[in-house]
């Protein structure tokens, strides 16, 4: 039902500009006011989230690790420098692979339970499908976003816009040329969506907040594909509008059709939704203490800078000396058995 509600909501979003642009004569509202407001909300919300996360206290080193820590005998037990980094340089390379190659997702495994001869057997095997879906989706989305810079820049720079368009359409299929990133984005979204719909365990823990962005991004991709390959909208008129947004000389040419306003409205909804959703994992990966900190808690003593200097540390030896008698009476083990003897008996 969560998937159905999300799909229905996206469908209703499509109807708003479909009937509002021409029927209510609100071309300027959908072409200028909504995109501008959405961009402002996106920028302010993005900055607010990042600053809030950046100011959050991180009192402990809590990096997630999956490899051997540096031992006293490095020849016998070799350190895994990427899965258990201990220096800033090792952590940097771990972050680079995490951001650009989704390394932790690449190491994903699936668990299966089989009926053995005498007892059930648990089996683990490598599962790269989720990594493939995710990296296809994210890189396609990123390339499409960069390609759209041609609508906001004049002259259009060859790097990165021109070069990306050349590589993206290198197959030279169709007229206008089919972009590989368009296919990659649609395929990536459909595969990620199918995973949530088909796998019972994933479907059980999926909410509207999981389905809605997938359906929204899919609708944006399909509306963009429709404009480029079927409706063949007036790109010159669209660039006149987008350049007007950048230069604050707002104009909405009459040649722009309703399909463009639907596409822009859906993109605006995504920009408004982005800072307040799970999509903020994009900047969040840079600020995650489970990724961006070296695992050196056992090699260095970390003291919180906000600790009250008037509060002195209470080592366990002193704690046991102070509370040794009641601990002994409760049957708790003591490192120093003399601490369990009452002071009067000690003096006697």
């Amino acid at each position: 039902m969560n998937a159905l509600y999300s799909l229905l909501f996206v469908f209703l979003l499509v109807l708003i500009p479909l009937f509002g642009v021409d029927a209510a004569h609100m071309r300027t509202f959908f072409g200028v006011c909504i995109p501008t407001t959405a961009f402002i909300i996106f920028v302010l919300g993005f900055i607010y989230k990042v600053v809030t996360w950046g100011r959050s206290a991180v009192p402990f080193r809590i990096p997630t690790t999956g490899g051997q820590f540096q031992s006293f005998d490095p020849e016998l037990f070799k350190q895994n420098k990427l899965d258990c980094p201990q220096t800033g340089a090792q952590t940097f390379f771990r972050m680079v692979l995490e951001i650009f190659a989704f390394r932790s997702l690449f190491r994903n495994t699936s668990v299966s339970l089989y009926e053995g001869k005498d007892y059930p057997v648990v089996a683990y095997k490598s599962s790269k499908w989720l990594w493939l879906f995710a990296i296809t989706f994210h890189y396609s989305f990123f390339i499409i976003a960069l390609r759209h810079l041609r609508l906001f820049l004049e002259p259009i720079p060859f790097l990165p816009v021109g070069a990306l368009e050349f590589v993206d359409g290198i197959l030279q299929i169709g007229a206008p040329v089919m972009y590989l990133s368009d296919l990659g984005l649609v395929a990536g979204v459909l595969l990620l969506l199918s995973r949530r719909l088909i796998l019972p365990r994933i479907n059980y823990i999926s909410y509207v907040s999981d389905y809605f962005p997938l359906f929204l991004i899919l609708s944006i991709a399909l509306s963009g594909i429709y404009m480029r390959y079927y409706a063949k909208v007036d790109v010159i008129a669209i660039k006149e509008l987008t350049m007007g947004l950048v230069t604050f000389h707002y104009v909405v040419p009459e040649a722009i059709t309703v399909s463009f306003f639907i596409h822009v409205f859906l993109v605006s909804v995504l920009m408004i939704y982005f800072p307040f959703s799970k999509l903020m994992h994009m900047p969040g990966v840079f600020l995650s203490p489970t990724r961006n900190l070296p695992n050196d808690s056992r090699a260095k003593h970390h003291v919180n800078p906000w600790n009250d200097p008037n509060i002195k540390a209470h080592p366990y030896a002193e704690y046991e000396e102070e509370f040794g008698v009641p601990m002994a009476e409760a049957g708790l083990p003591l490192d120093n058995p003399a601490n369990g003897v009452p002071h009067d008996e000690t003096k006697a």
Side-chain angles (χ1 to χ4, degrees), residues 1-8 193 197 203 207-208 211 215:
M1 291 300 292
N2 289 330
L4 182 61
Y5 292 149
S6 302
L7 180 61
L8 179 61
L193 191 57
L197 292 172
N203 180 270
Y207 296 94
V208 172
Y211 290 111
F215 280 119

Side-chain angles (χ1 to χ4, degrees), residues 126-206:
S126 176
S127 180
K128 300 291 189 293
W129 289 107
L130 180 57
W131 172 83
L132 182 62
F133 301 162
I135 204 165
T136 300
F137 166 74
H138 284 84
Y139 270 101
S140 298
F141 195 102
F142 179 67
I143 291 171
I144 291 173
L146 288 181
R147 279 201 288 105
H148 276 66
L149 289 177
R150 69 173 1 263
L151 298 174
F152 302 92
L153 299 174
E154 187 62 42
I156 302 171
F158 180 74
L159 291 175
V161 181
L164 274 178
E165 287 188 341
F166 173 76
V167 175
D168 205 3
I170 199 168
L171 294 182
Q172 297 292 311
I173 298 176
V177 175
M178 180 188 69
Y179 287 131
L180 295 175
S181 58
D182 293 343
L183 297 178
L185 181 63
V186 174
V189 173
L190 289 176
L191 291 170
L192 292 173
L193 191 57
S194 300
R195 171 177 170 267
R196 290 195 175 275
L197 292 172
I198 295 174
L199 298 181
R201 289 173 297 178
I202 305 299
N203 180 270
Y204 183 76
I205 61 174
S206 297

Side-chain angles (χ1 to χ4, degrees), residues 238-253:
I238 290 175
K239 183 154 187 178
E240 185 180 355
L241 185 151
T242 55
M243 290 301 297
L245 294 176
V246 175
T247 59
F248 303 106
H249 294 88
Y250 305 119
V251 59
V252 183

Side-chain angles (χ1 to χ4, degrees), residues 52-75:
T52 302
W53 288 341
R55 296 178 61 186
S56 300
V58 184
F60 305 107
R61 296 282 172 135
I62 56 171
T64 53
T65 59
Q68 173 63 43
F69 186 81
Q70 184 177 359
S71 66
F72 290 108
D73 189 350
E75 295 298 328

Side-chain angles (χ1 to χ4, degrees), residues 227-296:
M227 285 195 302
R228 176 174 173 80
Y229 302 107
Y230 298 98
K232 294 183 172 59
V233 295
D234 190 337
V235 179
I236 296 177
I238 290 175
K239 183 154 187 178
E240 185 180 355
L241 185 151
T242 55
M243 290 301 297
L245 294 176
V246 175
T247 59
F248 303 106
H249 294 88
Y250 305 119
V251 59
V252 183
E254 290 295 328
I256 297 179
T257 59
V258 69
S259 59
F260 171 77
F261 292 106
I262 293 174
H263 184 71
V264 169
F265 182 75
L266 294 174
V267 172
S268 300
V269 172
L270 180 64
M271 286 195 294
I272 294 173
Y273 178 76
F274 195 102
F276 313 102
S277 69
K278 296 180 179 181
L279 301 177
M280 279 298 287
H281 67 265
M282 183 188 75
V285 67
F286 295 93
L287 301 172
S288 173
T290 62
R291 288 285 184 269
N292 61 15
L293 292 175
N295 183 34
D296 58 358

